[in-house]
């Protein structure tokens, strides 16, 4: 299969996934459908802002690009993340958590795919300091396939070849938009508003969310530059540990016997399986095998559990009462 064919299939899958999620959202409510469409713009806005300011990475030509090389992003990023956010929010709705606790869990579920996907899809290039642009450099890269390339200082904390900043950033992106959307429902009764007012609420949520995420990433970068990689790991651990603690504390009240909805989680689960296969096939981080393989597979298993959490009760036929 040629690279062109693979890119075309990846873009087509992203668009199909988005359209499927938009259809499912439209069956729930008009506001939910607007959220899915708005999340595309939200994700692309954050991406474009990042490649034009902090310069921590740049994209290769992945097709259907927005902007000019090297400060461009693939439109598929917006489609995929709109779908992932919608699915994650749907799953936590089914778990029955209080709405204020759902945003960080939404972020954990969504970011779990990134923990498995990015080390395979991207690559990294060593730079001398934070913020250094590496798109014009001819030094070798390391890591995965190199669909996009990270400009990584040697002292930066990384999960395989990917800076921790990436995962902190996506955690912020998902949790902030999820909170804004849910707050619009709870505080402004957005579901009952007319079309124009719903769009205005969503626009305000997106603008505020972009500003908060940009501020959060800038703050993280400043802390990383001052205190080093140990604090980066601490921040990432706290971000991912917070929603895990929420789930553990609520375990007796979680609704985990929902009807199995494989169509909803098919793409995230397929992505995890494909990435595990690619990791092994490409022998990524071979220098640290078998420990690297164990780490990667453990992250993949956690991701699968998170995406299936509302259905795990149905997957245990031996459980009493099933």
């Amino acid at each position: 299969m040629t690279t062109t064919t693979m890119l075309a299939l990846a873009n087509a899958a992203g668009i199909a996934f988005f359209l499927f999620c938009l259809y499912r959202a439209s069956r729930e409510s008009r506001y939910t459908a607007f959220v899915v469409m708005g999340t595309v713009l939200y994700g692309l806005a954050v991406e474009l802002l990042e490649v034009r300011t902090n310069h921590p990475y740049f994209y290769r030509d992945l097709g259907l690009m927005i902007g000019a090389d090297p400060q461009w992003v693939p439109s598929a990023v917006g489609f995929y993340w709109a779908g992932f956010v919608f699915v994650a929010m749907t799953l936590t709705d089914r778990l029955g958590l209080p709405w204020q606790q759902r945003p960080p869990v939404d972020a954990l579920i969504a970011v779990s795919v990134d923990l498995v996907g990015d080390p395979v899809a991207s690559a990294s290039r060593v730079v001398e300091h934070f913020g250094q642009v590496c798109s014009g450099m001819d030094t070798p890269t390391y890591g995965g396939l190199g669909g996009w390339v990270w400009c990584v200082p040697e002292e930066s904390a990384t999960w395989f070849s990917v800076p921790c900043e990436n995962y902190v950033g996506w955690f912020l992106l998902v949790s902030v938009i999820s909170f804004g959307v849910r707050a619009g429902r709870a505080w402004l009764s957005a579901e009952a508003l007319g079309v124009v007012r719903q769009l205005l609420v969503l626009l305000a949520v997106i603008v505020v969310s972009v500003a908060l995420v940009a501020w959060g990433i800038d703050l993280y970068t400043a802390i990383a530059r001052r205190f080093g990689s140990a604090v980066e790991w601490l921040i990432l651990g706290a971000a991912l540990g917070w929603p895990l603690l929420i789930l553990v504390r609520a375990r007796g009240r979680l609704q985990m016997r929902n009807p199995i909805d494989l169509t909803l989680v098919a793409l995230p689960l397929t992505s995890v399986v494909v990435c595990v296969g690619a990791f092994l096939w490409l022998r990524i981080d071979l220098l640290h095998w078998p420990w690297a393989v164990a780490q990667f597979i453990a992250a993949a298993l956690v991701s699968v559990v998170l995406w299936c959490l509302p259905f795990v009760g149905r997957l245990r036929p031996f459980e009493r009462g099933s």
Side-chain angles (χ1 to χ4, degrees):
M1 184 180 295
T2 65
T3 301
T4 302
T5 303
M6 291 177 62
L7 289 175
L9 289 174
N11 284 315
I15 294 172
F17 179 48
F18 165 74
L19 292 175
F20 166 76
C21 291
L22 182 59
Y23 166 72
R24 290 287 295 260
S26 67
R27 293 175 60 186
E28 294 184 17
S29 71
R30 181 178 58 202
Y31 180 67
T32 305
F34 285 159
V35 167
V36 173
M37 289 186 285
T39 306
V40 177
L41 302 178
Y42 169 62
L44 291 174
V46 172
E47 287 272 320
L48 287 167
L49 184 64
E50 279 297 286
V51 298
R52 283 167 166 75
T53 54
N54 291 331
H55 304 292
Y57 60 95
F58 67 93
Y59 282 99
R60 311 285 194 187
D61 187 355
L62 301 180
L64 302 178
M65 304 298 289
I66 299 175
D69 186 17
Q71 295 179 341
W72 58 2
V73 299
S75 56
V77 169
F79 293 129
Y80 275 111
W81 272 98
F84 285 145
V85 172
F86 167 74
V87 175
M89 292 178 67
T90 301
L91 295 179
T92 56
D93 286 345
R94 294 182 183 183
L95 285 173
L97 288 165
W99 77 263
Q100 300 94 332
Q101 295 181 356
R102 296 176 194 179
V105 180
D106 294 335
L108 174 66
I109 294 173
V111 171
S112 73
V113 170
D114 244 17
L115 287 167
V116 179
D118 278 14
V120 172
S122 67
S124 292
R125 176 174 286 150
V126 176
V127 296
E128 295 180 357
H129 55 80
F130 284 98
Q132 182 176 353
V133 182
C134 66
S135 57
M137 299 171 62
D138 57 3
T139 53
T141 61
Y142 63 96
L145 295 171
W148 58 100
V149 177
W150 300 97
C151 310
V152 184
E154 289 187 6
E155 67 273 18
S156 180
T158 59
W159 166 255
F160 294 97
S161 59
V162 182
C164 288
E165 175 185 349
N166 172 62
Y167 305 112
V168 173
W170 281 115
F171 185 90
L172 285 172
L173 184 143
V174 177
S175 57
V176 168
I177 192 69
S178 173
F179 182 86
V181 167
R182 296 182 187 282
R185 284 195 177 100
W187 297 342
L188 302 176
S189 301
E191 296 283 5
L193 299 177
V195 173
V196 174
R197 289 186 177 181
Q198 283 185 344
L199 290 174
L200 288 175
V201 168
L202 186 56
L203 178 61
V205 168
I206 290 174
V207 170
V208 172
S209 296
V210 170
L212 286 174
V213 171
W215 175 80
I217 293 175
D218 285 344
L219 178 61
Y220 173 91
T221 302
I223 292 173
R225 289 177 180 177
R226 181 168 182 178
F227 297 104
S229 60
V231 174
E232 291 190 78
W233 281 114
L234 183 62
I235 294 173
L236 179 60
L240 301 182
W242 172 29
L244 283 174
L245 181 60
I246 290 173
L247 291 173
V248 170
R249 294 185 65 179
R251 62 188 181 279
R253 296 179 283 107
L254 293 178
Q255 299 172 16
M256 296 187 290
R257 292 185 57 82
N258 295 277
I260 297 174
D261 192 347
L262 286 180
T263 58
L264 187 67
V265 296
L267 186 61
L269 294 181
T270 300
S271 299
V272 171
V273 173
V274 168
C275 286
V276 171
F279 186 92
L280 298 174
W281 179 262
L282 297 171
R283 298 187 177 186
I284 292 174
D285 202 14
L286 182 60
L287 184 64
H288 298 103
W289 281 34
W291 174 237
V293 174
Q295 281 184 298
F296 194 81
I297 291 178
L301 290 175
V302 170
S303 183
V304 169
V305 170
L306 288 171
W307 286 101
C308 294
L309 200 57
F311 320 124
V312 292
R314 298 278 182 171
L315 299 175
R316 297 169 59 186
F318 53 85
E319 184 177 354
R320 184 177 178 181
S322 56

